[in-house]
Amino acid sequence: MRAAFRTALSPPVSRLLQPLLSPLHFRFSPLLQSSPSPSRSPFPRHFSTFPPPDPFLVPPPSPFPMEKQFEEFKLQLEESGGVREKIRGVVVEVEAANRMLSSCLLLVHQSLPLSGVLEKANGHIEKIKGLFAQLAVILKDCPGEFYRYHGEWRSETQTVVSMVALLHWLETGALLMHAEAEKKLGLESSDFSLDVEDYLTGLCFMSNEFPRYVVNRVTAGDYDCPRKVLSFLTDLHTAFRMLNLRNDFLRKKFDGMKYDLRRVEEVYYDVKIRGLASDDSAQGQANATPDQVTES
């Protein structure tokens, strides 16, 4: 009776040992693990019997797409840099020719025969025309990239246009048209032409020379010169007012033309008040000058 009661109250030994014999405990308890079978490796799964690979024997990975892209950029920049170096070599010669032409045009402010000054200046223009032809040959290998390199010679183009336009006015008394400027400078090709903004900026630079020219001509006794210059600048200023110019470099140069026109107008009025201008000159100026000349 007592043995049967002890058996009923005592849990079986297997139930007491069940937490100790759980799969997790059995897995990590080295004492309860069974001896490895001959077919299984004595090392844990995270250990390897093979030595690590030699990094020097592993082939290098293929270059990434980003590296390929920047390799292409490097080649493009080197090619563009070579083209720019060639262009700058020619532009330096254009700058020197422009300085020679500018020094020649300074003679028009003196009492010298105009024909000799114009003949000497035209020789420098022919040289500049040949240099622009060299630039066109360089850009022939870069079709469609005129405006990519245009900034290299833009300033020099504007300067030479202003001087050529002044020479044209001294010869004819009229404005140098855009097509005529292209022909004089050899910029008639569709791949290498005269930019419109460069032409307009050159005309604004040209107007800066007229106030000094008028004063020197009056000093030399040419009292009709202020009327001619004032009439021409008035027409040019009126034509520029038709353009819807942005607030950029060209707009600033055009605003400067207004002050050139005012200075020429003051010289003309001084001549007229002193009675030095002829009646024909006064009548012609009265018909040619609009009221908006002095507008701000």
Side-chain angles (χ1 to χ4, degrees):
M1 182 70 179
R2 188 175 295 177
F5 181 77
R6 188 182 300 113
T7 304
L9 293 178
S10 303
V13 178
S14 60
R15 186 177 300 177
L16 294 175
L17 296 177
Q18 187 174 2
L20 299 176
L21 299 177
S22 62
L24 184 63
H25 184 80
F26 179 77
R27 181 178 179 182
F28 293 100
S29 178
L31 299 176
L32 298 178
Q33 285 183 356
S34 60
S35 60
S37 61
S39 61
R40 294 180 57 186
S41 173
F43 300 98
R45 293 183 180 179
H46 59 273
F47 287 101
S48 175
T49 58
F50 299 99
D54 190 352
F56 295 100
L57 299 178
V58 178
S62 59
F64 297 99
M66 182 173 63
E67 295 180 0
K68 290 183 178 180
Q69 173 181 262
F70 278 84
E71 285 291 336
E72 295 177 358
F73 289 164
K74 178 183 177 182
L75 296 177
Q76 293 176 5
L77 292 176
E78 289 178 354
E79 182 181 357
S80 176
V83 175
R84 291 185 188 277
E85 287 298 326
K86 296 179 182 179
I87 292 175
R88 286 168 185 165
V90 180
V91 171
V92 169
E93 298 184 30
V94 176
E95 292 176 357
N98 279 352
R99 288 194 295 268
M100 296 299 296
L101 180 58
S102 177
S103 62
C104 182
L105 282 179
L106 291 176
L107 300 177
V108 302
H109 299 290
Q110 303 177 10
S111 301
L112 297 176
L114 187 60
S115 59
V117 176
L118 297 178
E119 182 180 356
K120 186 177 180 180
N122 288 329
H124 295 296
I125 294 176
E126 290 297 324
K127 182 179 180 180
I128 295 174
K129 182 178 180 180
L131 294 174
F132 278 129
Q134 295 182 23
L135 291 176
V137 172
I138 296 174
L139 288 183
K140 190 176 293 184
D141 298 332
C142 309
E145 296 185 353
F146 172 81
Y147 284 102
R148 180 180 182 181
Y149 304 104
H150 174 234
E152 300 292 338
W153 65 85
R154 183 171 192 173
S155 176
E156 301 306 318
T157 304
Q158 296 169 354
T159 302
V160 71
V161 167
S162 67
M163 293 186 288
V164 172
L166 179 60
L167 286 172
H168 183 79
W169 183 85
L170 292 174
E171 291 179 329
T172 64
L175 176 67
L176 176 70
M177 307 303 290
H178 182 265
E180 296 174 339
E182 287 184 323
K183 186 175 180 180
K184 280 181 174 290
L185 298 175
L187 303 176
E188 302 173 278
S189 173
S190 58
D191 298 329
F192 193 81
S193 59
L194 177 60
D195 184 71
V196 175
E197 290 192 10
D198 292 346
Y199 167 75
L200 295 175
T201 305
L203 296 182
C204 294
F205 287 159
M206 174 195 64
S207 70
N208 301 148
E209 293 292 329
F210 280 118
R212 180 186 177 189
Y213 176 73
V214 166
V215 172
N216 292 327
R217 293 308 301 168
V218 170
T219 304
D222 186 3
Y223 303 117
D224 193 40
C225 181
R227 178 192 63 82
K228 295 178 181 178
V229 174
L230 181 58
S231 177
F232 172 73
L233 274 184
T234 299
D235 295 339
L236 183 61
H237 185 268
T238 303
F240 261 90
R241 290 174 66 89
M242 297 172 59
L243 305 177
N244 185 18
L245 299 178
R246 302 183 300 273
N247 205 11
D248 55 2
F249 180 76
L250 178 57
R251 177 56 189 252
K252 294 178 181 178
K253 294 293 113 179
F254 166 65
D255 291 340
M257 185 187 298
K258 170 182 60 180
Y259 300 103
D260 298 331
L261 182 59
R262 186 170 298 174
R263 291 171 60 188
V264 173
E265 190 177 35
E266 291 174 355
V267 175
Y268 170 73
Y269 288 153
D270 288 343
V271 172
K272 182 180 177 182
I273 290 173
R274 288 173 173 78
L276 300 176
S278 61
D279 295 338
D280 296 339
S281 300
Q283 183 178 0
Q285 177 59 28
N287 296 331
T289 305
D291 296 335
Q292 66 266 27
V293 170
T294 59
E295 287 184 3
S296 57

